[in-house]
PDB file of all heavy atoms in Angstrom:
ATOM      1  N   TYR A  82    -161.332 -34.478 123.234  1.00  0.00           N
ATOM      2  CA  TYR A  82    -160.625 -34.774 122.051  1.00  0.00           C
ATOM      3  C   TYR A  82    -160.228 -36.232 121.952  1.00  0.00           C
ATOM      4  O   TYR A  82    -160.040 -36.770 120.825  1.00  0.00           O
ATOM      5  CB  TYR A  82    -159.368 -33.845 121.938  1.00  0.00           C
ATOM      6  CG  TYR A  82    -159.851 -32.453 121.560  1.00  0.00           C
ATOM      7  CD1 TYR A  82    -159.837 -31.440 122.496  1.00  0.00           C
ATOM      8  CD2 TYR A  82    -160.364 -32.242 120.299  1.00  0.00           C
ATOM      9  CE1 TYR A  82    -160.333 -30.156 122.167  1.00  0.00           C
ATOM     10  CE2 TYR A  82    -160.885 -30.978 119.962  1.00  0.00           C
ATOM     11  CZ  TYR A  82    -160.845 -29.978 120.866  1.00  0.00           C
ATOM     12  OH  TYR A  82    -161.368 -28.740 120.517  1.00  0.00           O
ATOM     13  N   HIS A 145    -153.630 -14.562 118.888  1.00  0.00           N
ATOM     14  CA  HIS A 145    -153.349 -15.942 119.257  1.00  0.00           C
ATOM     15  C   HIS A 145    -154.483 -16.913 118.814  1.00  0.00           C
ATOM     16  O   HIS A 145    -154.272 -17.958 118.282  1.00  0.00           O
ATOM     17  CB  HIS A 145    -153.179 -16.024 120.796  1.00  0.00           C
ATOM     18  CG  HIS A 145    -152.892 -17.395 121.315  1.00  0.00           C
ATOM     19  ND1 HIS A 145    -151.765 -18.107 121.016  1.00  0.00           N
ATOM     20  CD2 HIS A 145    -153.621 -18.212 122.133  1.00  0.00           C
ATOM     21  CE1 HIS A 145    -151.788 -19.292 121.601  1.00  0.00           C
ATOM     22  NE2 HIS A 145    -152.904 -19.356 122.310  1.00  0.00           N
ATOM     23  N   TYR A 146    -155.768 -16.444 119.022  1.00  0.00           N
ATOM     24  CA  TYR A 146    -156.881 -17.237 118.617  1.00  0.00           C
ATOM     25  C   TYR A 146    -156.961 -17.407 117.104  1.00  0.00           C
ATOM     26  O   TYR A 146    -157.233 -18.486 116.588  1.00  0.00           O
ATOM     27  CB  TYR A 146    -158.204 -16.590 119.138  1.00  0.00           C
ATOM     28  CG  TYR A 146    -158.304 -16.537 120.639  1.00  0.00           C
ATOM     29  CD1 TYR A 146    -158.932 -15.445 121.241  1.00  0.00           C
ATOM     30  CD2 TYR A 146    -157.814 -17.544 121.432  1.00  0.00           C
ATOM     31  CE1 TYR A 146    -159.035 -15.383 122.624  1.00  0.00           C
ATOM     32  CE2 TYR A 146    -157.937 -17.503 122.806  1.00  0.00           C
ATOM     33  CZ  TYR A 146    -158.560 -16.413 123.407  1.00  0.00           C
ATOM     34  OH  TYR A 146    -158.667 -16.366 124.768  1.00  0.00           O
ATOM     35  N   VAL A 147    -156.643 -16.317 116.397  1.00  0.00           N
ATOM     36  CA  VAL A 147    -156.669 -16.361 114.922  1.00  0.00           C
ATOM     37  C   VAL A 147    -155.544 -17.325 114.443  1.00  0.00           C
ATOM     38  O   VAL A 147    -155.777 -18.130 113.518  1.00  0.00           O
ATOM     39  CB  VAL A 147    -156.386 -14.933 114.331  1.00  0.00           C
ATOM     40  CG1 VAL A 147    -156.197 -15.048 112.836  1.00  0.00           C
ATOM     41  CG2 VAL A 147    -157.552 -14.029 114.655  1.00  0.00           C
ATOM     42  N   ILE A 149    -154.328 -19.987 116.046  1.00  0.00           N
ATOM     43  CA  ILE A 149    -154.792 -21.289 116.274  1.00  0.00           C
ATOM     44  C   ILE A 149    -155.767 -21.746 115.211  1.00  0.00           C
ATOM     45  O   ILE A 149    -155.672 -22.882 114.700  1.00  0.00           O
ATOM     46  CB  ILE A 149    -155.442 -21.411 117.697  1.00  0.00           C
ATOM     47  CG1 ILE A 149    -154.415 -21.256 118.806  1.00  0.00           C
ATOM     48  CG2 ILE A 149    -156.198 -22.734 117.871  1.00  0.00           C
ATOM     49  CD1 ILE A 149    -154.974 -21.180 120.169  1.00  0.00           C
ATOM     50  N   ALA A 150    -156.692 -20.875 114.891  1.00  0.00           N
ATOM     51  CA  ALA A 150    -157.708 -21.219 113.876  1.00  0.00           C
ATOM     52  C   ALA A 150    -157.024 -21.472 112.530  1.00  0.00           C
ATOM     53  O   ALA A 150    -157.401 -22.444 111.842  1.00  0.00           O
ATOM     54  CB  ALA A 150    -158.721 -20.099 113.749  1.00  0.00           C
ATOM     55  N   GLY A 200    -163.786 -27.477 112.925  1.00  0.00           N
ATOM     56  CA  GLY A 200    -162.869 -27.972 113.931  1.00  0.00           C
ATOM     57  C   GLY A 200    -162.003 -26.900 114.524  1.00  0.00           C
ATOM     58  O   GLY A 200    -161.797 -26.838 115.737  1.00  0.00           O
ATOM     59  N   ALA A 201    -161.525 -25.994 113.648  1.00  0.00           N
ATOM     60  CA  ALA A 201    -160.712 -24.858 114.132  1.00  0.00           C
ATOM     61  C   ALA A 201    -161.527 -23.962 115.051  1.00  0.00           C
ATOM     62  O   ALA A 201    -161.015 -23.476 116.084  1.00  0.00           O
ATOM     63  CB  ALA A 201    -160.201 -24.053 112.957  1.00  0.00           C
ATOM     64  N   ALA A 202    -162.743 -23.694 114.686  1.00  0.00           N
ATOM     65  CA  ALA A 202    -163.631 -22.829 115.524  1.00  0.00           C
ATOM     66  C   ALA A 202    -163.885 -23.491 116.893  1.00  0.00           C
ATOM     67  O   ALA A 202    -163.852 -22.825 117.922  1.00  0.00           O
ATOM     68  CB  ALA A 202    -164.972 -22.566 114.846  1.00  0.00           C
ATOM     69  N   LEU A 203    -164.079 -24.818 116.901  1.00  0.00           N
ATOM     70  CA  LEU A 203    -164.304 -25.526 118.148  1.00  0.00           C
ATOM     71  C   LEU A 203    -163.067 -25.504 119.036  1.00  0.00           C
ATOM     72  O   LEU A 203    -163.188 -25.356 120.270  1.00  0.00           O
ATOM     73  CB  LEU A 203    -164.704 -26.984 117.886  1.00  0.00           C
ATOM     74  CG  LEU A 203    -166.091 -27.186 117.219  1.00  0.00           C
ATOM     75  CD1 LEU A 203    -166.281 -28.644 116.877  1.00  0.00           C
ATOM     76  CD2 LEU A 203    -167.189 -26.701 118.148  1.00  0.00           C
ATOM     77  N   LEU A 204    -161.863 -25.601 118.454  1.00  0.00           N
ATOM     78  CA  LEU A 204    -160.638 -25.523 119.218  1.00  0.00           C
ATOM     79  C   LEU A 204    -160.454 -24.133 119.815  1.00  0.00           C
ATOM     80  O   LEU A 204    -160.021 -23.974 120.961  1.00  0.00           O
ATOM     81  CB  LEU A 204    -159.427 -25.928 118.389  1.00  0.00           C
ATOM     82  CG  LEU A 204    -158.078 -25.950 119.158  1.00  0.00           C
ATOM     83  CD1 LEU A 204    -158.136 -26.922 120.335  1.00  0.00           C
ATOM     84  CD2 LEU A 204    -156.962 -26.320 118.253  1.00  0.00           C
ATOM     85  N   VAL A 205    -160.815 -23.103 119.042  1.00  0.00           N
ATOM     86  CA  VAL A 205    -160.710 -21.772 119.579  1.00  0.00           C
ATOM     87  C   VAL A 205    -161.670 -21.582 120.725  1.00  0.00           C
ATOM     88  O   VAL A 205    -161.327 -20.991 121.767  1.00  0.00           O
ATOM     89  CB  VAL A 205    -161.008 -20.688 118.449  1.00  0.00           C
ATOM     90  CG1 VAL A 205    -161.213 -19.301 119.073  1.00  0.00           C
ATOM     91  CG2 VAL A 205    -159.887 -20.718 117.408  1.00  0.00           C
ATOM     92  N   ALA A 206    -162.877 -22.112 120.587  1.00  0.00           N
ATOM     93  CA  ALA A 206    -163.805 -22.054 121.737  1.00  0.00           C
ATOM     94  C   ALA A 206    -163.278 -22.808 122.946  1.00  0.00           C
ATOM     95  O   ALA A 206    -163.414 -22.281 124.106  1.00  0.00           O
ATOM     96  CB  ALA A 206    -165.186 -22.673 121.297  1.00  0.00           C
ATOM     97  N   TRP A 207    -162.682 -23.967 122.703  1.00  0.00           N
ATOM     98  CA  TRP A 207    -162.031 -24.710 123.817  1.00  0.00           C
ATOM     99  C   TRP A 207    -160.941 -23.892 124.464  1.00  0.00           C
ATOM    100  O   TRP A 207    -160.830 -23.817 125.691  1.00  0.00           O
ATOM    101  CB  TRP A 207    -161.480 -26.033 123.220  1.00  0.00           C
ATOM    102  CG  TRP A 207    -160.656 -26.885 124.113  1.00  0.00           C
ATOM    103  CD1 TRP A 207    -159.316 -26.800 124.299  1.00  0.00           C
ATOM    104  CD2 TRP A 207    -161.108 -27.955 124.962  1.00  0.00           C
ATOM    105  NE1 TRP A 207    -158.900 -27.781 125.196  1.00  0.00           N
ATOM    106  CE2 TRP A 207    -159.960 -28.478 125.602  1.00  0.00           C
ATOM    107  CE3 TRP A 207    -162.359 -28.493 125.228  1.00  0.00           C
ATOM    108  CZ2 TRP A 207    -160.097 -29.553 126.489  1.00  0.00           C
ATOM    109  CZ3 TRP A 207    -162.465 -29.530 126.101  1.00  0.00           C
ATOM    110  CH2 TRP A 207    -161.337 -30.079 126.741  1.00  0.00           C
ATOM    111  N   THR A 208    -160.148 -23.195 123.644  1.00  0.00           N
ATOM    112  CA  THR A 208    -159.069 -22.394 124.095  1.00  0.00           C
ATOM    113  C   THR A 208    -159.568 -21.194 124.923  1.00  0.00           C
ATOM    114  O   THR A 208    -158.974 -20.804 125.895  1.00  0.00           O
ATOM    115  CB  THR A 208    -158.227 -21.884 122.892  1.00  0.00           C
ATOM    116  OG1 THR A 208    -157.740 -23.003 122.160  1.00  0.00           O
ATOM    117  CG2 THR A 208    -157.070 -20.997 123.346  1.00  0.00           C
ATOM    118  N   ARG A 209    -160.663 -20.624 124.434  1.00  0.00           N
ATOM    119  CA  ARG A 209    -161.201 -19.411 125.067  1.00  0.00           C
ATOM    120  C   ARG A 209    -161.518 -19.638 126.500  1.00  0.00           C
ATOM    121  O   ARG A 209    -161.451 -18.691 127.337  1.00  0.00           O
ATOM    122  CB  ARG A 209    -162.494 -18.978 124.329  1.00  0.00           C
ATOM    123  CG  ARG A 209    -163.154 -17.748 124.902  1.00  0.00           C
ATOM    124  CD  ARG A 209    -162.261 -16.524 124.743  1.00  0.00           C
ATOM    125  NE  ARG A 209    -162.883 -15.337 125.372  1.00  0.00           N
ATOM    126  CZ  ARG A 209    -162.837 -15.075 126.666  1.00  0.00           C
ATOM    127  NH1 ARG A 209    -162.224 -15.888 127.482  1.00  0.00           N
ATOM    128  NH2 ARG A 209    -163.446 -13.955 127.087  1.00  0.00           N
ATOM    129  N   PHE A 210    -161.839 -20.889 126.893  1.00  0.00           N
ATOM    130  CA  PHE A 210    -162.097 -21.199 128.306  1.00  0.00           C
ATOM    131  C   PHE A 210    -160.841 -21.588 129.080  1.00  0.00           C
ATOM    132  O   PHE A 210    -160.902 -21.960 130.206  1.00  0.00           O
ATOM    133  CB  PHE A 210    -163.112 -22.339 128.377  1.00  0.00           C
ATOM    134  CG  PHE A 210    -164.512 -21.897 127.983  1.00  0.00           C
ATOM    135  CD1 PHE A 210    -165.006 -22.168 126.709  1.00  0.00           C
ATOM    136  CD2 PHE A 210    -165.312 -21.222 128.894  1.00  0.00           C
ATOM    137  CE1 PHE A 210    -166.267 -21.753 126.338  1.00  0.00           C
ATOM    138  CE2 PHE A 210    -166.602 -20.793 128.480  1.00  0.00           C
ATOM    139  CZ  PHE A 210    -167.065 -21.072 127.220  1.00  0.00           C
TER     140      PHE A 210
END
Side-chain angles (χ1 to χ4, degrees):
Y82 286 107
H145 180 64
Y146 296 144
V147 172
I149 289 173
L203 292 174
L204 183 58
V205 169
W207 174 269
T208 302
R209 180 65 184 82
F210 289 98

